[in-house]
Amino acid sequence: MLNTLTQQPADALLALIKLHNIDPRADKIDLGVGVYRTGQGDTPVFGAIKAAEARLVAEQDSKAYLGPEGDMGFVEKLMPYIFGADSADLGGRIEGMQTPGGTGSLRLALAMVKRAGYSRVLVGKPSWPNHNQICADLGLDVFEFNHATPDGRTDMEALRGALAAAGEGDAILLHGCCHNPTGIDYSNAEWDEIAGLLGASKVLPIIDLAYQGLGLGMEEDAYGLRRVLAQVPEALVSYSCDKNFGLYRDRVGALYVVVGDPADLTKVISNGHALARANWSQPPDHGAAAVRLVLEDEALTAQWLDELHQMRDRMRQVRARLGAAGKTGGVDLTPVGNQHGLFSIIPFTAEQVQAMRAEHGIYFAASGRINVAGLTMGNIDQFLAAVESVTA
Ligand code: LMR
């Protein structure tokens, strides 16, 4: 019966890694999958993580199972950064568990939503493609509303309309910061409004916080999430350490559930544990244990925050250069200067995306999403010249 299965396309984002790798040109540029790169084009292991890993190797005395919730020290140490030092557990209304990356967390969040009887998820379009893929795999309907206007602002009208038309049985998936793929984030005033709208509605917020610290700062990037949680009785938060600790392939994430009544917490999170058991049983330990060691140590925490700061500054410099380039060929790069995180969308046509690959060896998603961290002061002029030539 296996031969009745139909051929599935390779994941378009992950396929870019291979397409770039096999291109023999020395001056090729990878602006595809979302990994941070230094000014030299590398994605090194954070110094703070290397130090924690060395300690882990020296001191970890067992690799016996921990259980479906994983490393709870890791889960708890992250909470003040996510939810705020003063209200890290919202009065006993939050419980978390470790997951394999942000994707594992989203998978659990959406499966839990499905179990609880929700049937539809509101998703701003465009979104990270895996959001829709996970919903589809779980049999959840997706209702797409427009995330951004063509001139590069958030489309608040569309969001207001989607929420007004939604109600019981609906959840909404929101990007906490560094919107993937557009880089167009809600302002603080817009988050205030969204929090109010969600507080007055029956729609369940699921907040995907995969890039905390890569936008404006660790605190600043949590503003929207904290405002929403201050207004709603229930929510789910999917967290990823892939980017802000540089642990991509180690798959480090967490799921937090927020309930209205602390008495429901054990029951609700037990569903996360049961779903984890049926999916991967228990999350991989190494990366999360390294993060915990960083966060348990003041000096390593300071080092990590400093490394994150440097990443953020470099991406701001690249964005400033792109923004200052302004009108380049047939596209306007000005908005890129004001956007946040790793990604921006440049309105290339499908032919222009192909021409950038074929003629210039510059790889990025078919949507026109570029990973700005793939640009360096050494290759940005080459990129701008290529944009000029294919869009002129
Ligand atoms: C991306 O969007 O490039 C990253 O989040 C990596 C991934 O898993 O897709």
Side-chain angles (χ1 to χ4, degrees):
M1 288 163 69
L2 292 178
N3 67 357
T4 63
L5 293 172
T6 55
Q7 177 69 41
Q8 300 296 305
D11 182 274
L13 271 177
L14 301 183
L16 279 173
I17 301 172
K18 294 201 183 83
L19 280 180
H20 173 265
N21 283 351
I22 59 173
D23 188 325
R25 284 171 282 191
D27 61 351
K28 61 189 174 179
I29 304 179
D30 182 2
L31 308 180
V33 78
V35 294
Y36 174 76
R37 291 185 210 286
T38 64
Q40 287 68 48
D42 311 316
T43 306
V45 180
F46 278 48
I49 288 289
K50 272 272 184 217
E53 287 182 312
R55 202 176 290 172
L56 200 57
V57 168
E59 293 172 10
Q60 190 173 51
D61 50 15
S62 174
K63 289 195 181 280
Y65 293 127
L66 288 177
E69 70 277 26
D71 185 331
M72 286 304 288
F74 154 79
V75 170
E76 279 156 22
K77 277 284 172 198
L78 278 173
M79 289 174 71
Y81 294 95
I82 306 171
F83 303 107
D86 300 333
S87 57
D89 75 343
L90 284 185
R93 291 171 47 227
I94 304 185
E95 175 77 63
M97 58 186 287
Q98 188 201 326
T99 57
T103 301
S105 177
L106 283 163
R107 175 84 200 185
L108 279 199
L110 289 161
M112 201 183 278
V113 153
K114 170 104 182 174
R115 265 195 180 193
Y118 290 85
S119 56
R120 202 169 68 137
V121 185
L122 280 51
V123 181
K125 184 181 168 173
S127 197
W128 182 48
N130 220 11
H131 283 157
N132 285 16
Q133 283 166 192
I134 298 171
C135 288
D137 193 50
L138 287 164
L140 286 160
D141 291 335
V142 170
F143 174 81
E144 294 187 313
F145 60 93
N146 203 36
H147 172 67
T149 60
D151 60 348
R153 287 174 301 114
T154 53
D155 190 341
M156 287 299 286
E157 264 320 296
L159 176 61
R160 286 184 200 112
L163 282 176
E168 202 151 281
D170 290 328
I172 185 166
L173 189 43
L174 292 167
H175 299 232
C177 68
C178 304
H179 186 267
N180 179 3
T182 66
I184 301 169
D185 284 349
Y186 298 116
S187 67
N188 286 358
E190 287 169 343
W191 275 118
D192 292 346
E193 182 185 345
I194 295 166
L197 292 173
L198 286 168
S201 87
K202 291 202 156 32
V203 178
L204 174 80
I206 305 171
I207 301 180
D208 182 1
L209 194 60
Y211 298 90
Q212 190 185 12
L214 275 79
L216 296 169
M218 285 295 286
E219 284 292 300
E220 293 85 341
D221 292 349
Y223 180 87
L225 172 143
R226 293 181 194 170
R227 290 295 294 161
V228 170
L229 295 190
Q231 298 275 338
V232 298
E234 300 186 333
L236 295 168
V237 175
S238 281
Y239 195 81
S240 174
C241 297
D242 289 2
K243 320 288 160 64
N244 61 2
F245 284 86
L247 282 160
Y248 314 93
R249 68 175 75 152
D250 277 345
R251 315 306 302 134
V252 185
L255 169 69
Y256 295 90
V257 301
V258 178
V259 296
D261 180 350
D264 289 330
L265 210 44
T266 311
K267 174 179 72 181
V268 175
I269 198 74
S270 75
N271 283 271
H273 298 164
L275 284 162
R277 177 66 168 150
N279 276 280
W280 48 79
S281 184
Q282 316 187 31
D285 179 66
H286 179 85
V291 170
R292 174 175 49 72
L293 288 182
V294 169
L295 298 181
E296 282 172 354
D297 182 301
E298 232 173 84
L300 288 183
T301 298
Q303 186 181 352
W304 159 61
L305 288 171
D306 184 53
E307 292 179 276
L308 193 56
H309 199 152
Q310 288 175 34
M311 288 165 64
R312 198 162 56 235
D313 279 355
R314 199 187 91 67
M315 286 191 292
R316 283 222 193 106
Q317 282 166 20
V318 172
R319 284 190 178 281
R321 270 294 300 280
L322 290 174
K327 198 150 179 336
T328 305
V331 295
D332 184 8
L333 297 176
T334 312
V336 177
N338 303 318
Q339 294 164 358
H340 299 140
L342 287 175
F343 308 116
S344 281
I345 287 208
I346 310 217
F348 292 113
T349 63
E351 293 72 32
Q352 290 166 349
V353 173
Q354 280 313 321
M356 289 289 277
R357 287 185 199 171
E359 291 163 26
H360 300 279
I362 302 179
Y363 290 82
F364 50 85
S367 62
R369 186 193 84 167
I370 60 161
N371 171 11
V372 299
L375 293 171
T376 66
M377 293 306 149
N379 67 19
I380 202 161
D381 288 332
Q382 181 194 340
F383 171 74
L384 290 171
V387 173
E388 175 114 39
S389 111
V390 305
T391 63

